[in-house]
Amino acid sequence: MHDFSYYTPTKIVFGRDSEKQTAGLIKEAGAAKVLLHYGGGSAERSGLLDRIREQLAAGRIPFTELGGVQPNPRLSLVREGIALCEREGVDFILAVGGGSVIDSAKAIGYGVACSGDVWDFYNFKRTATACLPIGVVLTIAAAGSEMSNSCVITNDDTWEKRGTKSDAGRPRFAVMNPELTMTLPPYQTACGCADILMHTMERYFNHGENMELTDGIAEALMRTVIRNARLLVKEPENYEARAEIMWAGSLSHNGLTGCGTDGGDWAVHKLEHELGAMYDVAHGAGLTAVWGSWARLVYGERMERFASFATNVMNVPWQGNERETALAGIRAAEAFFREIGMPVNMTELGVAPTEEQIEELAEKCMKSAQGMPGIVKKLSREEIAGIYRAAR
Ligand code: NZQ
Ligand code: ZN
């Protein structure tokens, strides 16, 4: 087992009506003025935002608002948020939404708490050492940003999508009511399930040894996501399935399924981030569109692990040898993605990059990985371009 540190300071309040505790949690955090931060309209339409506003007003918590966060959150709105917080003396950010709103909140929090240009943190110049405290009311189970130290922002001047990591950005609390996710369109539910699964798959495919407990947790989490994602296709209002997926979303990206590993692969995420930047696709769908092409290129480097994934997660019977079992597992994962409505190539994702664009994607992927991405197999620029090509 590799050495590791595991830090999860986020208080989780989980269950029906849990959002009613939001004002109390903000008071507990000692906030003097709150930025209520949200997305493009779903929380307004569902009435959630009005209920939060009423709670803040009833609790005499002063607040100001900034909505309009887009999926693949934009740097320009982050800058607007930083200026607003500084002008209004905001000392706490409440993110009502999903990964995009939470990441936008984290970036604003970094920008206010640290001097200098906030893009520096995404441009590998510096690491954020401080952040305004953040609370979350989660409305989509997907990115896991409610417990993670990651924050992914798209620069809408240069169209680069970049992530940064800092423990300072981990939210103070996350309120998680699975019922709030029932208004999600089926496609967004499936994108979320795919992303959750992928956060553990990225950690599971590694070169570590002796991770019996971590492997067991990871495999149970992946099986749980697969079973409940299938259920939600037929029963979108199944509370228990929503709850399993929501909790899996947080545990899949708070570090738990990576404890004792070598850190995980993460090449598929790097490949997707470039698709997100160039085509503004939904993150979960971008991941499934390239995963199979990545897996077919690298599985030979860690055949036994791909075979374990096949038998222990995808429920594939042993095919007589490791190679056939591993390949059957890759096919089974792709069949699962299709079953829940996710693409397994870029045509199904709805994008058709030219040769020139593939070269650009590969170039940017290398740049954002600051070298060759991947752990199972370190990928060269040519191999990255080859994965994009194979995924067309
Ligand atoms: O903007 P609104 O109108 O709210 O609509 C959103 C958005 O269109 C909608 N939605 C959210 N909750 C809803 C709802 N619609 C109906 N009912 C609800 N209850 O769903 C759409 C997607 O929302 P978004 O926040 O973008 O989804 P997600 O949570 O998947 O976040 C994706 C972003 O997170 C980043 C991704 O790259 C992407 O930018 N990631 C962040 C990570 C992190 N910080 O740890 C890790 C991930 O790997 C990921 O990279
Ligand atoms: Zn992800």
Side-chain angles (χ1 to χ4, degrees), residues 4 169 226 255 305 343:
F4 64 91
I226 290 168
R305 205 133 183 94

PDB file of all heavy atoms in Angstrom, residues 4 169 226 255 305 343:
ATOM      1  N   PHE A   4      -0.373   7.607   2.229  1.00  0.00           N
ATOM      2  CA  PHE A   4      -1.356   8.601   1.768  1.00  0.00           C
ATOM      3  C   PHE A   4      -1.800   9.504   2.908  1.00  0.00           C
ATOM      4  O   PHE A   4      -1.627   9.176   4.080  1.00  0.00           O
ATOM      5  CB  PHE A   4      -2.578   7.918   1.145  1.00  0.00           C
ATOM      6  CG  PHE A   4      -3.384   7.075   2.104  1.00  0.00           C
ATOM      7  CD1 PHE A   4      -4.446   7.620   2.812  1.00  0.00           C
ATOM      8  CD2 PHE A   4      -3.089   5.731   2.291  1.00  0.00           C
ATOM      9  CE1 PHE A   4      -5.204   6.844   3.692  1.00  0.00           C
ATOM     10  CE2 PHE A   4      -3.833   4.943   3.171  1.00  0.00           C
ATOM     11  CZ  PHE A   4      -4.891   5.501   3.865  1.00  0.00           C
ATOM     12  N   GLY A 169     -10.058  24.835  -0.700  1.00  0.00           N
ATOM     13  CA  GLY A 169     -11.347  24.991  -1.372  1.00  0.00           C
ATOM     14  C   GLY A 169     -12.384  23.955  -0.989  1.00  0.00           C
ATOM     15  O   GLY A 169     -13.535  24.019  -1.452  1.00  0.00           O
ATOM     16  N   ILE A 226     -23.618   1.374 -10.947  1.00  0.00           N
ATOM     17  CA  ILE A 226     -24.158   0.707 -12.147  1.00  0.00           C
ATOM     18  C   ILE A 226     -25.597   0.234 -11.893  1.00  0.00           C
ATOM     19  O   ILE A 226     -26.501   0.493 -12.690  1.00  0.00           O
ATOM     20  CB  ILE A 226     -23.233  -0.456 -12.566  1.00  0.00           C
ATOM     21  CG1 ILE A 226     -21.913   0.118 -13.105  1.00  0.00           C
ATOM     22  CG2 ILE A 226     -23.899  -1.364 -13.597  1.00  0.00           C
ATOM     23  CD1 ILE A 226     -20.806  -0.900 -13.297  1.00  0.00           C
ATOM     24  N   GLY A 255     -11.580  11.141  -2.265  1.00  0.00           N
ATOM     25  CA  GLY A 255     -10.277  10.526  -2.011  1.00  0.00           C
ATOM     26  C   GLY A 255     -10.355   9.109  -1.484  1.00  0.00           C
ATOM     27  O   GLY A 255      -9.389   8.354  -1.573  1.00  0.00           O
ATOM     28  N   ARG A 305      -5.752  -6.167 -13.817  1.00  0.00           N
ATOM     29  CA  ARG A 305      -6.664  -5.216 -13.183  1.00  0.00           C
ATOM     30  C   ARG A 305      -7.907  -5.036 -14.059  1.00  0.00           C
ATOM     31  O   ARG A 305      -9.027  -4.941 -13.561  1.00  0.00           O
ATOM     32  CB  ARG A 305      -5.940  -3.885 -13.000  1.00  0.00           C
ATOM     33  CG  ARG A 305      -6.515  -3.102 -11.903  1.00  0.00           C
ATOM     34  CD  ARG A 305      -5.502  -2.525 -10.951  1.00  0.00           C
ATOM     35  NE  ARG A 305      -6.241  -1.860  -9.903  1.00  0.00           N
ATOM     36  CZ  ARG A 305      -6.563  -2.452  -8.770  1.00  0.00           C
ATOM     37  NH1 ARG A 305      -6.205  -3.680  -8.524  1.00  0.00           N
ATOM     38  NH2 ARG A 305      -7.258  -1.800  -7.867  1.00  0.00           N
ATOM     39  N   PRO A 343     -22.881   8.277 -24.725  1.00  0.00           N
ATOM     40  CA  PRO A 343     -22.171   7.959 -25.963  1.00  0.00           C
ATOM     41  C   PRO A 343     -20.919   7.128 -25.699  1.00  0.00           C
ATOM     42  O   PRO A 343     -20.315   7.249 -24.633  1.00  0.00           O
ATOM     43  CB  PRO A 343     -21.760   9.339 -26.486  1.00  0.00           C
ATOM     44  CG  PRO A 343     -21.636  10.174 -25.250  1.00  0.00           C
ATOM     45  CD  PRO A 343     -22.680   9.661 -24.287  1.00  0.00           C
TER      46      PRO A 343
END
